[in-house]
């Protein structure tokens, strides 16, 4: 640049324009940036974390599944009697509820 160009360059004018642009567009751009960050986290990162935790849970479940003991018990007569009594009580309860709603 020549000396003539430097004399014509008005630094104050350019600083004023740049600072007014920042004042004019700075706050909305920060708000827009925060919104975009929130949207990216909500749409991508949270589902990715949930999927990762579900996969980890499935892995742990499959790994520990082989160490389980399954026990089958044949019902005894006492157990059958208790089940019959519970069924009778359930029927009586339904009968009482039906009669109370009829009134």
């Amino acid at each position: 640049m020549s000396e003539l160009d430097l004399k014509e360059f008005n630094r104050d004018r350019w600083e004023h324009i740049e600072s007014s642009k920042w004042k004019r567009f700075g706050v909305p751009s920060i708000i827009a940036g925060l919104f975009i960050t929130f949207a990216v986290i909500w749409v991508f990162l949270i589902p990715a974390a949930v999927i990762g935790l579900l996969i980890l849970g499935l892995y742990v479940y499959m790994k520990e599944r082989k160490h389980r003991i399954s026990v089958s018990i044949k019902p005894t007569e006492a157990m059958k009697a208790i089940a019959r009594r519970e069924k009778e009580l359930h029927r009586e309860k339904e009968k009482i509820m039906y009669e109370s709603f009829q009134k």
Side-chain angles (χ1 to χ4, degrees):
M1 292 175 90
S2 68
E3 279 187 42
L4 183 61
D5 292 337
L6 288 175
K7 288 180 184 176
E8 289 179 10
F9 183 75
N10 188 350
R11 188 174 308 272
D12 294 334
R13 181 174 157 249
W14 284 100
E15 286 177 0
H16 174 70
I17 290 172
E18 289 298 320
S19 66
S20 66
K21 280 183 183 177
W22 176 251
K23 287 178 184 175
R24 200 173 337 146
F25 300 116
V27 173
S29 66
I30 291 172
I31 292 171
L34 289 173
F35 177 76
I36 290 171
T37 303
F38 175 77
V40 165
I41 288 172
W42 190 260
V43 171
F44 295 111
L45 296 181
I46 291 176
V50 169
I51 290 170
L53 290 173
L54 286 172
I55 290 172
L56 177 66
L58 179 64
Y59 171 73
V60 171
Y61 172 76
M62 293 300 220
K63 186 178 175 183
E64 293 180 358
R65 187 175 61 170
K66 61 184 172 186
H67 298 295
R68 291 193 182 142
I69 299 171
S70 58
V71 178
S72 60
I73 300 172
K74 293 183 180 179
T76 61
E77 286 301 316
M79 294 168 103
K80 290 178 184 177
I82 292 171
R84 280 193 299 271
R85 180 66 184 141
E86 285 181 358
K87 196 166 188 177
E88 286 176 25
L89 289 173
H90 185 68
R91 274 193 235 119
E92 287 178 25
K93 179 182 172 186
E94 285 181 352
K95 182 180 173 185
I96 292 170
M97 293 294 284
Y98 180 74
E99 290 173 358
S100 67
F101 282 124
Q102 290 296 324
K103 293 179 181 179

